[in-house]
Amino acid sequence: MHDTLPAGSEVPHTWSQSDRFVPRSFVRPLQRFMDTEASGAIFMLVAAIAALVWANSPWWHAQETLWETDLSIHLGGLAHIDLTLVEWINDALMAIFFFVVGLEIKRELVHGELRDPRKAALPAIGALGGMAIPALVYLLFNSGGDGAHGWGIPMATDIAFAVAVVALVGPRIPSAAKVFLLTLAIADDIGAIVVIAIFYTDDLSFGWLAISVATVVALHVSKRLRIRSLPFYVVVGLFLWFAVHESGVHATLAGVALGLLTPAWSFFDPRRFGDHARVLVEAADDGMDDGMLTQAEYELNQARLEDLSRLVTESQSPLERLEHALQKYVAFLIVPLFAFSNAGVRLTSEALDGIGTDTVVLGVALGLIAGKTVGVFGATLLGDKLGIGSLPEGVTYRHVLGLAVTSGIGFTVALFVAGLAFEGEPMLTDSAKIGILAGSLIAGIAGYTILKTSPTAPTDDDRPAEHAESSLVRGSAG
């Protein structure tokens, strides 16, 4: 070990920021693309198309074989989990997706639009209408039939695709309309979570349910005691997931619970950051000279830098740190993988011939197209006329109509609910998938057309839109 180290050396660029051919030609362009609003939806769309192509290729049997592969975990005599590959994706990886949804709901409740009841009232009412009417439309076709249990499928809005459509429209949409859509989608997510928890839970084990509740209480107490160890929460979170899974409640709800429990405020007051950081930086500067640092001086300086790094970390809330750390994994890995494993459906001549009479297809598709439009637009109009809430400045009823139609894109959560509603019933599941794909496609095109032909919004209104972006679509991570 050398006794002295060079001082004042320039910090080198990371590999991805270097001027080499691969970073310059591929890595940085990909990073810029991933920072756009529509990128997450594009990844998801490509994955869904790939699943459809594979399902209708000569190798479709391989798709079924792959996703039905059994994967088991044994922890001695303490735990045994036996799931297929697609169940691991739907139950485990999607728990991370719902964890981020929980984080987003918590952020909106504490810092965002849902914090102000007056501002949240209208989009929340719109979300309620957008859940109730699609369910009723579905039941008009399926009440009393084999597919009646699927009424929750057309209730959900896919945030990533909906926001991508709005982003493609561009400056014609005022930023307030984007905020309205995101608030509506968050309220929609809350409704979907409640529906999954209450109506799509079978065979409850009250013992494991009590353990799950006790674990949530323990996490809350740990938070109150200001335990900050991430490994501790990871271990307890994994146990919570296992307990919820064993209870009969869908395991993804463990992710929602963890998200809602995550602190939304920083441990260190960010208003005091500048003073403390300045002391550390000045101390580091004082410890430098133009010559060589001794080993002791180098180690002391490293300790100051570590203190500064901890100060930066502690000045951000755990919610912000986790949301930032997970959003790209969710948007560019978990959700596309979910789409790739769940969107595949064989479009045989028999299936296509029966689309016009298949009540599940019609119920889902019309629930998304007509039900969402009537529900969101009608409830928003009623709430505005009754004075329960008011439209944001610059937002017209034409914008609301376009957003209502766009909210009929019900891809991710709709597929998820379809898997829960028709578990073990592949024919009904395939019908639901066809309805979801057809309804979402028509809603997306129609919503884009209406919004694109809306009057151009004032340019200045677009500036605050960045603050309203959902983490599920912001570069992205519904």
Side-chain angles (χ1 to χ4, degrees):
M1 182 180 294
H2 298 291
D3 290 334
T4 57
L5 295 167
S9 300
E10 183 178 345
V11 177
H13 289 297
T14 60
W15 177 79
S16 64
Q17 298 301 316
S18 68
D19 200 39
R20 296 178 182 178
F21 174 73
V22 173
R24 184 182 71 249
S25 304
F26 299 102
V27 177
R28 288 201 293 278
L30 179 61
Q31 289 174 334
R32 287 193 293 270
F33 167 73
M34 291 171 69
D35 285 333
T36 62
E37 284 183 308
S39 56
I42 291 172
F43 266 70
M44 196 181 349
L45 180 61
V46 170
I49 292 172
L52 282 169
V53 171
W54 190 7
N56 292 279
S57 74
W59 305 280
W60 65 273
H61 283 293
Q63 187 181 54
E64 291 187 352
T65 302
L66 172 64
W67 300 129
E68 294 304 316
T69 302
D70 285 319
L71 292 175
S72 300
I73 293 179
H74 297 264
L75 297 176
L78 298 177
H80 170 221
I81 306 176
D82 186 10
L83 300 173
T84 63
L85 182 56
V86 71
E87 287 173 337
W88 278 110
I89 294 170
N90 294 351
D91 292 8
L93 288 184
M94 285 299 284
I96 302 175
F97 166 81
F98 278 98
F99 173 63
V100 175
V101 170
L103 292 175
E104 194 154 89
I105 292 171
K106 178 72 173 281
R107 174 167 52 79
E108 290 298 317
L109 287 169
V110 176
H111 303 301
E113 294 297 312
L114 294 179
R115 178 184 58 176
D116 186 341
R118 179 73 179 173
K119 290 183 179 179
L122 208 58
I125 291 170
L128 286 173
M131 290 184 286
I133 303 302
L136 291 175
V137 169
Y138 181 90
L139 288 173
L140 285 176
F141 290 91
N142 293 279
S143 180
D146 294 337
H149 198 46
W151 56 268
I153 298 170
M155 294 173 65
T157 296
D158 191 292
I159 299 179
F161 274 127
V163 174
V165 168
V166 172
L168 291 173
V169 173
R172 289 185 177 275
I173 304 302
S175 60
K178 299 177 185 179
V179 174
F180 182 92
L181 175 63
L182 288 169
T183 308
L184 184 148
I186 291 294
D188 188 282
D189 279 340
I190 296 172
I193 289 164
V194 171
V195 167
I196 291 170
I198 297 175
F199 298 102
Y200 292 104
T201 294
D202 299 314
D203 302 323
L204 275 178
S205 169
F206 288 99
W208 278 108
L209 187 61
I211 292 173
S212 302
V213 173
T215 305
V216 170
V217 172
L219 283 167
H220 179 69
V221 171
S222 301
K223 183 180 73 170
R224 300 290 293 181
L225 294 174
R226 301 178 70 86
I227 295 175
R228 307 181 187 184
S229 171
L230 182 60
F232 168 81
Y233 287 106
V234 169
V235 171
V236 178
L238 289 173
F239 177 77
L240 175 62
W241 177 88
F242 175 75
V244 173
H245 179 271
E246 294 299 301
S247 73
V249 177
H250 201 274
T252 52
L253 296 181
V256 178
L258 288 169
L260 293 175
L261 284 169
T262 302
W265 300 97
S266 59
F267 294 119
F268 184 83
D269 188 348
R271 292 171 296 184
R272 298 163 55 200
F273 173 80
D275 292 338
H276 284 70
R278 196 173 298 110
V279 170
L280 290 170
V281 170
E282 289 174 354
D285 284 342
D286 291 342
M288 294 285 189
D289 57 37
D290 294 331
M292 304 292 286
L293 293 177
T294 65
Q295 186 66 30
E297 290 171 333
Y298 173 78
E299 291 176 354
L300 179 61
N301 211 51
Q302 286 298 110
R304 289 167 177 152
L305 293 177
E306 289 172 6
D307 287 340
L308 184 60
S309 176
R310 277 194 295 272
L311 181 64
V312 171
T313 299
E314 296 287 278
S315 297
Q316 291 180 295
S317 71
L319 187 151
E320 290 173 325
R321 297 202 305 268
L322 288 168
E323 203 173 11
H324 179 73
L326 292 174
Q327 58 188 20
K328 283 187 168 59
Y329 292 103
V330 169
F332 299 115
L333 177 61
I334 293 175
V335 173
L337 185 58
F338 170 81
F340 186 55
S341 61
N342 286 270
V345 57
R346 283 188 55 73
L347 302 175
T348 62
S349 57
E350 181 182 352
L352 294 175
D353 289 340
I355 284 180
T357 57
D358 190 318
T359 56
V360 172
V361 173
L362 292 173
V364 172
L366 292 177
L368 290 171
I369 300 166
K372 276 289 187 181
T373 302
V374 173
V376 172
F377 183 77
T380 302
L381 177 63
L382 181 63
D384 186 39
K385 295 300 183 184
L386 292 177
I388 298 173
S390 58
L391 288 179
E393 186 177 353
V395 177
T396 66
Y397 282 124
R398 185 176 180 85
H399 290 133
V400 175
L401 177 62
L403 296 175
V405 176
T406 304
S407 71
I409 304 174
F411 191 76
T412 307
V413 180
L415 285 173
F416 187 80
V417 174
L420 297 179
F422 300 137
E423 187 175 3
E425 300 177 276
M427 292 184 64
L428 290 175
T429 302
D430 284 350
S431 294
K433 289 179 181 179
I434 293 172
I436 292 167
L437 295 172
S440 297
L441 179 63
I442 294 171
I445 294 172
Y448 174 83
T449 302
I450 293 171
L451 293 172
K452 190 68 175 177
T453 55
S454 299
T456 305
T459 306
D460 289 342
D461 285 349
D462 284 340
R463 292 176 185 169
E466 296 178 29
H467 305 291
E469 291 176 17
S470 163
S471 71
L472 294 178
V473 294
R474 184 182 56 229
S476 218

